[in-house]
Amino acid sequence: MSTSKTPVARPPVTRLLHVDGLKAAAAQLIVLHHLSAYGPVAEAVEELLPALMAWAYQYGRMAVQVFLVLGGFLTARALSSQGQLLEGGWFSLLARRYQRLALPFMGAVLLTLACSALVARWLPELVPAQVGWGQLLAHAGLVHGVLGYEALTVGAWYVAIDLQLFALLAGVLAFSRGLALPRAWRRWIGPGLVAVLTAASLLVFNRDSALDNWGLYFFGAYGLGALVHWLGLLPQRRLGLMLLAALGLAALLLDFRERIALALATALVLAWQQRRHDAGLPLLLTPPRLQPLLAHLGTHSYALFLVHFPICLLINALFERHDLGDGWPGLMAMLAAWGLSNLAAVSFYRWIEQPAGRLRLGALLARLWPRTLRA
């Protein structure tokens, strides 16, 4: 007698190529920013292309705002895909997010420290003078910025802030789920509270740079992305986006910040492209033959963000060690660092980021804990 069951048909998953495109562009710009900011290679290329290097240094870092908006959009989509109440416990959701962020991050930190030991002789200004256990533990807990420790790799602040932002958004949704309100109200009170917190960040918290180690400072951009998702579920989508744009413009009129202008522009472009995606329209300016490349670059964007600085250290050390001079050799070294970083991201994603995301640490600890008690 056969015990096999007929498989349940599932709707095909359509990849969000517009999200891949934004992630890919932001990641590449951040790499360019860091290559323009550190080491003798940056100094050499600056003599050859001063305007480009000045632009990359000044504006490349602002691509983080794109990641913040996309992070809010994807988190809202994952936690409340159809506007439903949050499913699952807040702590378990936070633990899974921590695992996906922190394990690859600490792999990148250890790789950076290994490369720092190799290049310290030639690039003492780019490596930490000393590393203590407290500093390592603070990085592992993603609280290094809050506790005032020097970052051990570039972009460490963003990983810590991402976890705080996820915790805030999931916490608001968990809080709204527990309110004694009619179910129809409870469904939308969460997005409403997120909108209030977004406005508070844009109009108040983001104007105080002393708060830049805390998620509230960055929640404006993150919340814009989350609201783009929820507004896309409403019949009055256009009106909602107009109100969203009005909030962003009010924040800019109160205190113009280029990073907030970019976050608002990203949110509106994301809303436009998401509408095209929902309508089954093709992604603009992307020939079909380039779509696999776009998906590849989007998939590996976090790995690239984490792994490019060790590559930057090694290339700069080789450049300094062999005294390759200025100008064109520096440009060749920068292009090599950029290309090798993208190659390294593929291996980092395959061997570190993907396995880290598949781990089930909670289940593993549950199995080991009784054995520990019996030992």
Side-chain angles (χ1 to χ4, degrees), residues 216-365:
L216 281 174
Y217 181 83
F218 297 95
F219 196 85
Y222 198 80
L224 287 175
L227 293 172
V228 164
H229 164 66
W230 284 311
L231 290 173
L233 303 176
L234 295 176
Q236 305 83 8
R237 164 193 166 89
R238 182 171 298 180
L239 175 60
L241 289 175
M242 291 174 62
L243 294 174
L244 189 74
L247 171 61
L249 291 175
L252 293 173
L253 288 173
L254 179 65
D255 183 1
F256 185 81
R257 290 146 286 170
E258 290 178 327
R259 61 185 183 277
I260 297 303
L262 177 59
L264 177 61
T266 301
L268 294 177
V269 168
L270 176 62
W272 173 45
Q273 290 286 50
Q274 184 63 28
R275 181 65 172 172
R276 291 182 61 84
H277 171 83
D278 293 340
L281 298 174
L283 182 66
L284 292 180
L285 304 177
T286 306
R289 64 181 179 275
L290 293 182
Q291 292 181 2
L293 175 62
L294 203 61
H296 168 87
L297 293 174
T299 298
H300 296 87
S301 59
Y302 184 50
L304 177 63
F305 180 82
L306 293 177
V307 81
H308 73 274
F309 188 61
I311 303 298
C312 175
L313 287 177
L314 294 175
I315 294 297
N316 271 280
L318 287 172
F319 190 83
E320 180 73 6
R321 169 67 179 82
H322 295 287
D323 192 18
L324 295 179
D326 299 330
W328 289 104
L331 181 60
M332 295 299 103
M334 176 173 284
L335 291 175
W338 174 78
L340 289 172
S341 294
N342 279 274
L343 289 176
V346 176
S347 297
F348 191 90
Y349 176 81
R350 179 178 180 182
W351 299 110
I352 297 180
E353 185 181 349
Q354 261 194 324
R358 288 195 297 261
L359 288 176
R360 295 292 180 264
L361 294 182
L364 178 62
L365 291 175

Side-chain angles (χ1 to χ4, degrees), residues 17-101:
L17 281 174
H18 53 293
V19 173
D20 283 324
L22 289 169
K23 287 166 62 177
Q28 300 298 331
L29 283 173
I30 289 170
V31 172
L32 179 60
H33 165 69
H34 289 144
L35 289 175
S36 71
Y38 299 107
V41 170
E43 296 173 1
V45 180
E46 186 176 11
E47 293 189 8
L48 182 66
L49 301 169
L52 175 62
M53 296 296 282
W55 182 90
Y57 180 78
Q58 181 67 26
Y59 296 106
R61 57 186 173 182
M62 289 176 59
V64 171
Q65 298 298 318
V66 177
F67 275 126
L68 290 170
V69 173
L70 294 178
F73 173 80
L74 293 172
T75 298
R77 184 181 171 89
L79 299 182
S80 180
S81 60
Q82 298 301 320
Q84 74 272 22
L85 296 175
L86 182 69
E87 298 176 359
W90 175 82
F91 184 80
S92 62
L93 290 170
L94 183 61
R96 286 200 293 271
R97 184 61 180 171
Y98 169 82
Q99 176 183 322
R100 294 182 65 87
L101 286 173

Side-chain angles (χ1 to χ4, degrees), residues 148-172:
Y149 283 104
E150 178 188 5
L152 294 175
T153 187
V154 298
W157 68 270
Y158 172 81
V159 183
I161 290 298
D162 186 284
L163 184 67
Q164 290 187 39
L165 292 170
F166 181 94
L168 279 171
L169 183 57
V172 168

Side-chain angles (χ1 to χ4, degrees), residues 169-184:
L169 183 57
V172 168
L173 296 180
F175 172 78
S176 64
R177 180 181 59 187
L179 294 176
L181 295 171
R183 186 174 182 83

